[in-house]
Amino acid sequence: MREAHMWHSTSLEETYKRLDAGPDGFSPDEARKRLVRFGRNEFARYKQKPLLLVFLRQLRGPLNLVLIVAAGVSYMVSDMSDAVVILVTLAMNASVGFFQESKADRAFVALSQTLQEYAYVLRGGHELEIPREEVVPGDVLLLKRGKKIPADARVVASDNLQMNESSLTGEWIAQKKKPGIVPFATPVADRSNMVFMGTLVDEGSGRAIVVSTGIRTEFGQIGTLLREEYEVKTPLERRVAHFSSRFAYAIGGVAILLFWFGVSRGVSLLDMFLTAVAMAVASVPEGLPVSLTIVLAIGMQRILKKGGLVRNLFSTETLGGVSIVATDKTGTLTKAEMLVSHIITATKQIVRKDGHLRPRLHLNGKEAHMRALEIAMLESEAVIENPEDELHEFRIHGGATNKALLLAGIEAGLRKEVLLKTYPLVTSIPFDSERKFSASLHETRGGYRMFVLGAPELVLNGSLFLDFDGKKEKLTPAWRESILKKYGVMAGDGLRVIAAAYKDTREDALNPAQVTEHLVFVGLLGLKDPVREDVRHSIQEAEQAGIRPIIITGDHARTAEAVAREVGIFVARHEIIEGEDFEKLSDEELRDALPRFKIYARIAPKDKLRIVEAWRARGETVAFVGDGINDAPALRKADIGVALGSGTDVAKEAADLVLLSDSFTVIIDAVREGRTILANIKKTILFLLTDGFNELLIIVFGLVAGVPLPILPAQILWINLVEDILPALSLAFEKGDAHLRPLTKEKRGTLLGREGVLIILWFSIITTTFVFATYLLMLRHFGAEYARTMVFLMMGIDSLFYIFNIKTMGRMVSFRAFFDNAFMLVGVFVGFLLLVSAVLFTPLQNLIKTVPVSSVHWGFVFAYGVGVFLMMEGVKRLLGRKDV
């Protein structure tokens, strides 16, 4: 039911009638009945995934399926050693992925724990405090400063009620709320007679009657969008699935062709069946699943050390392929807090730089900027709960503007209690959005002084004089024009501008109609939500890496444009589109228009989702950064959803990456790590596929030549799963480039580029031809077992040298490159020991079916490995040292 969209446009009488409720609330018995009827005011909270499901997720994919089939076939033909080795491989892969994902899941569950929230309601004329989940439609809410709204409600009474709705709408400036009717088509962000679940009472108080709870609230509708979104597969998952499917089909096709070829030449069905199994085992890179998992897990841990919690293992690589960073503004690029950033008077301009107002303020009481701060502090309604503590420990209650004014005075060395002793308060008029000013009357030695804070146009129009550091001079037309010009520049920069003024009087009361008359204009105060310190540098790095930043916000275009300029995104007016114009675009028009826009302003949550979908439809890899409830659908739909650790639980639950430190720099660090992961995955795939193709090719050579199998399945498995696994895993520890460079779509989109295919072909054809020739020679002079052992040793040793060629793909091997990865040196050394053990250790000889070889042939095998390494360095030079 979407009746919630109608409540704002009906009269209060009609609202009470439809809810069958009244202004004093209903009885506790009626509340219990409604709780049964409407259900609890809650959503399904995030639950930790079942451990079995997390484990089984690791076994997805065609490559694992081929391994499972191969294990089954090996078992059926009573080749238990092959079956056990394959199953152990599958278990290893699943265990590593299971450990990493379950660890991240547990960390997220701990991160998303929240305290029980309560609501204040009026039932039967009595004020009650009840759990938020027990609020029902028709309840009368008592709205108090600093408290969260537990449900969507229609305002029935307001005493300067102002709401912080940034978590829902993205608008950080407090919204004035009051009873009344607004048009049906009014956007959520502009419904001045409604308060919404999850938003915060910034100032004042009021009453509201609940119209929607749970899933029927605006918050709940965003939750519905989240449930409607399917789980988005990462680009790596899609590429691996595509690659694995094609690979599995190719294996099946080749196996059928070889089976037919052998049978047609008179080979027995059983022999051909065993040959086909050997070919399948040779073709499948058994170490690939566990190697990919290790590469991703290591990257996951590196990102965690930088302050980013990755919730999905495959997402670590996706970060490296990001081409669009779409970010919310409030709380993401900015700190979601208001500060005084400018003080402009007739004699000086104070600007906030590096977190401080510059030039530094001096407490002498004469300069106009200090008087402006005195007025601001006296007019501020913010209250410090613990004034005896240090400044950084202050707990301040009040609206964002009032807090900012109070803190600016404190920063200048002022203390409100001292000011009130100098100027004892007589009476005051609080700020009202219709009057557009606040005023207070204070005693002085010779009478009274009235301080005024309000809209610049209003205050300036009522001013006759200008404060020149304690001297009162006539406000000339030239000065008036100059002040208006400065005000225009400040407003154009997205600042919220307030004017400060005063006048001396003998009246001991305030007349609102006469407050803005005969004033002495003191100055302008500019307030803004400051940009996070690390954002500008991060945006610059992103653009240098070929990543396009765009801003999607529910805030006004002018504010978004000012923030964009401050963080280094230079925007022309035609590169901004607002919600009203955006909604007129069809999906096709939007896809065509996307590259023209850098800022999307006054955008609803559903439109954020639509923007992300449109960029993805253009083939871009999209990271969306947000922190609010309104960001959650886009976070879920993006290739990478990035949420701030201080953001809402809903946003963090929808995200793939949570920034624990709220630092935008973590995103760039994560992208850099993702690029490293992508490069290491490509190297791992190239290394293992080369081995697999090599083994497949020599089996095909043997079948065509009509000789016994040159290498047996158990020997293939020993090379692939035992001897080569540590060198392959060591590629996960390769360090990436410190400087981010643009990444072409081809580099982002392929696991094995043209250069990689050429390397596999060069290596396999040359080495397999040489190894097969050696096999035929050994077969003639020493027999099948000896010849197979030589093939086993040669194919094992070449991969131990070849790993160094792969390690430095894109450049020639240097002396330093041999020693900058200790894990690889250990892996190669262990791999060599395992290769030697398989030939010299009797139990392994029986398992793998090898025999001892002479010392001369050992020397021949080692020389062959060195020759392979030198040959591949020549191939890299021939290919132009390109990356795969």
Side-chain angles (χ1 to χ4, degrees), residues 234-245 317-318 321 621 678 681-682 745 747-752:
T234 69
L236 179 61
E237 285 178 301
R238 294 195 295 270
R239 292 199 297 267
V240 168
H242 178 70
F243 168 78
S244 301
S245 298
E317 180 274 339
T318 307
T621 302
L678 179 60
I681 284 174
K682 289 184 175 183
K745 278 192 177 183
K747 292 290 185 185
R748 290 199 308 265
T750 57
L751 291 175
L752 197 64

Side-chain angles (χ1 to χ4, degrees), residues 196 295 554 662 714 761 858 875:
F196 302 101
V295 172
D662 280 2
L761 292 175
W858 274 112
V875 170

Side-chain angles (χ1 to χ4, degrees), residues 103-367:
K103 182 179 179 181
D105 208 35
R106 289 194 301 273
F108 180 76
V109 168
L111 189 65
S112 64
Q113 294 296 319
T114 57
L115 296 175
Q116 173 70 57
E117 293 180 4
Y118 291 88
Y120 297 92
V121 299
L122 201 61
R123 289 182 177 173
H126 300 287
E127 180 179 336
L128 300 176
E129 183 182 23
I130 64 172
R132 186 199 67 185
E133 293 81 8
E134 295 180 11
V135 171
V136 295
D139 259 327
V140 176
L141 299 177
L142 302 176
L143 310 180
K144 302 182 180 184
R145 188 170 66 181
K147 300 298 182 182
K148 275 188 179 181
I149 303 298
D152 288 2
R154 174 74 179 270
V155 177
V156 298
S158 169
D159 181 10
N160 192 33
L161 180 63
Q162 297 183 46
M163 300 297 304
N164 180 340
E165 297 181 341
S166 60
S167 63
L168 180 65
T169 67
E171 175 65 75
W172 63 280
I173 295 176
Q175 304 297 300
K176 181 78 173 179
K177 299 292 182 176
K178 59 184 178 181
I181 300 175
V182 297
F184 176 76
T186 304
V188 170
D190 298 324
R191 293 178 189 168
S192 58
N193 62 351
M194 296 287 296
V195 291
F196 302 101
M197 171 186 271
T199 60
L200 188 71
V201 179
D202 216 4
E203 285 192 33
S205 60
R207 292 188 182 189
I209 184 166
V210 174
V211 296
S212 301
T213 57
I215 198 171
R216 291 174 291 275
T217 61
E218 290 296 332
F219 187 165
Q221 290 305 299
I222 293 174
T224 301
L225 284 176
L226 288 173
R227 283 189 294 277
E228 289 173 356
E229 292 307 317
Y230 55 86
E231 183 178 356
V232 178
K233 285 190 175 182
T234 69
L236 179 61
E237 285 178 301
R238 294 195 295 270
R239 292 199 297 267
V240 168
H242 178 70
F243 168 78
S244 301
S245 298
R246 294 179 65 178
F247 194 77
Y249 285 130
I251 291 172
V254 172
I256 292 171
L257 285 175
L258 286 178
F259 187 81
W260 173 82
F261 179 77
V263 172
S264 65
R265 295 190 59 182
V267 181
S268 70
L269 290 175
L270 179 60
D271 286 344
M272 278 313 305
F273 185 72
L274 294 174
T275 301
V277 170
M279 190 221 69
V281 171
S283 302
V284 177
E286 292 88 353
L288 183 57
V290 68
S291 298
L292 287 181
T293 302
I294 293 292
V295 172
L296 294 171
I298 299 260
M300 200 174 186
Q301 291 301 312
R302 285 175 174 170
I303 293 172
L304 183 60
K305 288 180 180 178
K306 297 287 180 64
L309 174 65
V310 180
R311 299 183 55 219
N312 176 9
L313 198 63
F314 274 84
S315 296
T316 53
E317 180 274 339
T318 307
L319 286 159
V322 166
S323 57
I324 299 289
V325 172
T327 175
D328 180 41
K329 179 186 68 64
T330 305
T332 306
L333 298 177
T334 66
K335 296 181 178 180
E337 62 183 35
M338 196 184 289
L339 291 176
V340 172
S341 61
H342 292 69
I343 307 172
I344 296 178
T345 66
T347 59
K348 189 171 290 186
Q349 179 169 309
I350 308 292
V351 179
R352 185 174 295 277
K353 293 182 179 179
D354 301 323
H356 301 283
L357 291 169
R358 311 275 188 191
R360 286 198 174 275
L361 306 172
H362 298 288
L363 190 62
N364 58 25
K366 295 179 180 179
E367 295 183 336

